[in-house]
Amino acid sequence: CTSITPWLSFISFSSTGAIFEENAVRDDDIFQLAISDLSLNDDILQSEKITHSVKRIEANNPFQAVQEACELMNQGILALVTSTGCAAANALQSLTDAMHIPHLFIQRNGKGSPRTACHLNPSPDGESYTLAARPPVRLNDVMLTLVTELRWQKFIVFYDADYDIRGLQTFLDQASRQGLDVSLQRVDHNVSKVFTNLFHTMRTEELNRYRDTLRRAMLLMSPRGAQVFIHQAVETNLASKDSHWVYANEEVSDTEIMELVHSSLGRMTIIRQIFPLWRDTNIRCMRNNHRISSLLCDPQEGYLQSLEASNLYLYDSVLMLANAFYSKLEDRKWHSMASLNCMRKSTKPWNGGWSMLDTIQKRRITGLTGMMDFRAEGSNSHVQFEILGTSYSETFGKDVKRLATWDSIRGLNGSLKESRIENGMQGITVKVVTLLEEPFVMVAENILGQPKRYKGFSIDVLDALARLLGFKYEIYQVADGKYGSPTFNGSWNGMIGELISKRADMALSAITITPERESVVDFSKRYLDYSVGILMRKSEDKINIFSLLAPFDLAVWACIAAAIPVVGVMIFILRRVQSVRAQNPPAGHQVASVSTSLQSAIWIVYGAFVQQGGDSILGSVALRIVMGSWWLFTLIVCSSYTANLAAYLTVSRMDNAVRTFQDLSKQMDLAYGTVRDSAVYEYFRVKGTNALEQDSTFAELWRIINKNNGHENSVSSPSEGIRKAKRDSFAFLWDMAVVEYAALTDDDCTLTVAGNSMSSKGYGLALQHGSPYRDLFSQKILELQEKGDLDILKQKWWPRKGRCDLDSHSEAQPEGRALRLHSFAGVFCILAAGLLLACLVAALEIWWSSNRCRREQPKEVTENAAPTQGLYVLPRSCKCCLWHLFILLPPKVHSGRDWAAPCVCGFKTAKV
């Protein structure tokens, strides 16, 4: 008990001394007042006069206490009354037990902290001469009764540095046997430092769990320390409106109670010791036929209320000894005073000590503290506590009233059950702050002169809760148009700031539950899942009738087109050489006749390229090598074309190349961003700057989103982001529910949504920290989910088949797998071009062969000579050109001088 500052005093009647601690000024005053009152009342001591001797000692000095006690014993005393700490009490107990001097011990608590029990040493011969005038500490019993009545299962006990933690051992043992979860937390004198350390050493999740623990707490502190502690807890948002704190201290004044209650937030319960007879005006001034001094009797003086409990027990101890002395005089069993020298080994105990102790133990008086006797194991067992407190109300219970009493005989008298909101909120008006966000909160059409009305998914949820719980609400829009984020000075803006400043009871909109927000406000259970979506324009179908040429680059097609005539010319030359050899075959060899025109050679090459075969080539090994190489080339080209064509047509059927965040981070054509200073903005910041993140996707996303501090790609509001996504080549990253609604209700159905629908977060109702309505709202939201009402409301605002069908762009439909006509338009165009070209060439051949050749035919031939049937004879001037010579004429003509002979051109045959 070294942390408790003791008081020490001795008093003497006729031959009684008094010793007080130097810092106990009131003990000296009360002692003098008690002696004065007894000297003026002849009913008690009659003709006996009271003499006394007062000594002063240092606080909590056992050695000096024993030294001064021995000096008083040497002068001669009848009894000893002390008001000390535990250390001095143990030393004086050993002395009084050895000298058989009755000892009335009054424990004094120091610095205003709650008192803890003193464990005195047992008497060696079993006869203890020390009597506890002040009752043993019963706070543990009262606190255990209280937590049992309130049905607390988990709570924390705060105690200051001056409190002896050993005094809680009995309470902790009994709580452990009942299965209660009790935590201990010491509070240093610098309370603000304690809270600062909490916020620096705990993560957000740990701090939230610690805050939940603080909802049920007991304070074992001085009144001043408790007031500072509560004030700091409220300022740092550790205390809440649904918290319930119990302050236990035997000595706390009415003024201190009101200061504690008005500093607190939520419910406050006070446990303190009371002396009921103070308030009885009929017997206030009389105690056992003894008139009390006017200082203690007159309530207008207020002197009695300013005294400490140890002062009152000191006054009653003087009264007890006076009555015992009077009883000894009546029985004529008076003993001589004890004049002892405790420093000598030969000193014998006082022979009248046991008789005087027995007389004191048999007496019973009614004093300032009520009933006092020492029949229960040598201590005064009469003690009574009152339990004061507040309860939930519109003002959250700032009025203090007595809830119950507790005494050592009857226990608890009264009810301590919390007046909590359990079934409804009838008659309560909730002030709601909101922010417009489609489709959560929107302005409905208003009648002129009527208050503004709202509609939306969140409004429907609020109306459903209002019907179930019976409350009304008033709604208004937040001034700055923000959801809420911390500013540079530590405060919050937006709807969260409205809750922290207590201007609103609830925040309602598309507000997501985040750890940062939950550290300053409370959230209900989520009523809708949350994820981040990508809103962008649908890809436009680009019609390219020559899309079948896309698998190869233009240079590849040019090389292929050039290769066909080159190989054709090569084959033509080799076959021409073969035809020359055919005119002069070796003896015994007959070479087959082959066509050696350039047209037929190119046609053979083209047929092999399109895998349609052609005229068989029987010839030299060189021809076979050329054709083998060409066939291998054709096989590889056609296989590559087929594979690339299948891949190209598959990719071209995809609506957008961006499906996930990974796709978005890899592409460079599409700009993207979100709303600055929003939860989504913070989400990408945390993910993008996390050193433990293995994937670089979010780092790249955050680099683009935060470009130029978010002013280049990000926007100031969700509506601006939706407009920008519809107008420009821009991907807007925002809440999936909001962007889906924007795509479903788009007038032109030009928007689409991508992103991951899986999420561990959600939308909830934001409430003031510690709001008593939080659990009730959460319970009703769970009921709406179980009944399916929330699914019905969700289907109302996010229909599966709305104005625009998102499923057609997010899932591959069976008919979407077929190739469309425009994919093959180029093939039909090529076919049509070939047919038209064939018709044109045919017409040109007819015109060239029939008209022009006839006009240039010699006149004499035309008039005098009948041409051969089916033949036309052309003059030398016709020249027949190389085209007729190498293509139309048979190979047998192409030899020697016949090359320059006149030609005859016909439609069926040509001869020289």
Side-chain angles (χ1 to χ4, degrees), residues 337-364:
M337 292 182 295
S339 181
L340 307 173
N341 189 346
C342 56
M343 298 301 176
R344 294 180 182 178
K345 294 183 180 181
S346 60
T347 301
K348 294 182 180 181
W350 180 37
N351 55 5
W354 177 254
S355 177
M356 181 63 71
L357 178 66
D358 184 64
T359 303
I360 296 173
Q361 287 180 323
K362 290 180 180 180
R363 298 298 296 175
R364 174 181 294 177

Side-chain angles (χ1 to χ4, degrees), residues 269-287:
T269 300
I270 313 293
I271 302 175
R272 71 171 177 178
Q273 186 180 355
I274 57 171
F275 306 104
L277 294 180
W278 285 4
R279 309 182 187 280
D280 192 341
T281 57
N282 296 325
I283 61 175
R284 181 186 295 125
C285 299
M286 297 299 296
R287 294 291 185 271

